């Protein structure tokens, strides 16, 4: 099980700025079976990277899982809280050029909206 995840969002629907404003939100709208499995595997305290799709295609900020209710496997309820903007947002092109991400579903399965990250991948994106 991964300890960190990347969540993709379309900024015109819900951006990292929206999450910062709201402070806490339920992460929903996920239908892909693999992405749903990834949501169910999360636990309170799981570290997250927020990645904006569309024209951006950039990792822009961090968040943390507050709670997970996986009692309905087809619609797990994951509540997240905003972290901080990344000091250096990372574009998809930069991610693809980093060997740490060569086997990542972020690169290999472009449509996957909830992507597991290794600790090294998380560190590469956050600088932490």
């Amino acid at each position: 099980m991964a300890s960190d995840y990347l969540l993709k969002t379309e900024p015109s629907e819900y951006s990292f700025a929206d999450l910062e404003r709201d402070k806490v939100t339920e992460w929903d709208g996920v239908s892909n079976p693999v992405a749903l499995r990834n949501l169910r595997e999360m636990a309170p305290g799981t570290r997250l990277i927020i990645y904006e799709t569309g024209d951006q295609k950039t990792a822009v900020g961090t968040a943390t899982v507050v709670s997970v209710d996986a009692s309905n496997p087809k619609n797990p309820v994951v509540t997240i809280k905003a972290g901080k903007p990344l000091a250096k947002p990372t574009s998809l092109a930069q991610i693809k050029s980093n060997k740490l991400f060569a086997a990542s579903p972020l690169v290999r399965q472009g449509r996957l909206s909830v992507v597991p990250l290794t600790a090294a991948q998380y560190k590469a994106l956050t600088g932490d």
Side-chain angles (χ1 to χ4, degrees):
M1 177 173 15
S3 57
D4 305 309
Y5 290 88
L6 179 143
L7 301 178
K8 290 183 181 179
T9 185
E10 174 61 52
S12 63
E13 291 181 30
Y14 195 82
S15 67
F16 182 69
D18 293 328
L19 176 59
E20 287 182 297
R21 178 196 67 226
D22 296 345
K23 302 204 184 327
V24 175
T25 193
E26 287 183 1
W27 203 259
D28 58 11
V30 175
S31 58
N32 177 285
V34 175
L36 287 169
R37 182 189 73 221
N38 290 339
L39 284 176
R40 287 190 304 269
E41 289 179 354
M42 292 180 183
T46 298
R47 299 181 305 178
L48 306 169
I49 297 288
I50 305 299
Y51 175 95
E52 294 184 340
T53 60
D55 293 337
Q56 295 266 61
K57 294 185 178 78
T58 303
V60 295
T62 64
T64 307
V65 173
V66 175
S67 64
V68 178
D69 177 356
S71 60
N72 178 347
K74 291 187 179 185
N75 189 24
V77 178
V78 177
T79 303
I80 68 170
K81 70 177 178 180
K84 59 185 177 182
L86 294 178
K88 293 183 181 179
T90 306
S91 71
L92 181 59
Q94 292 169 310
I95 291 168
K96 285 182 174 181
S97 70
N98 186 328
K99 291 179 184 177
L100 279 174
F101 292 91
S104 171
L106 180 60
V107 173
R108 296 184 154 302
Q109 297 172 297
R111 306 282 301 161
L112 189 60
S113 63
V114 181
V115 180
L117 296 173
T118 65
Q121 290 167 338
Y122 183 90
K123 183 176 180 177
L125 293 172
T126 62
D128 292 344

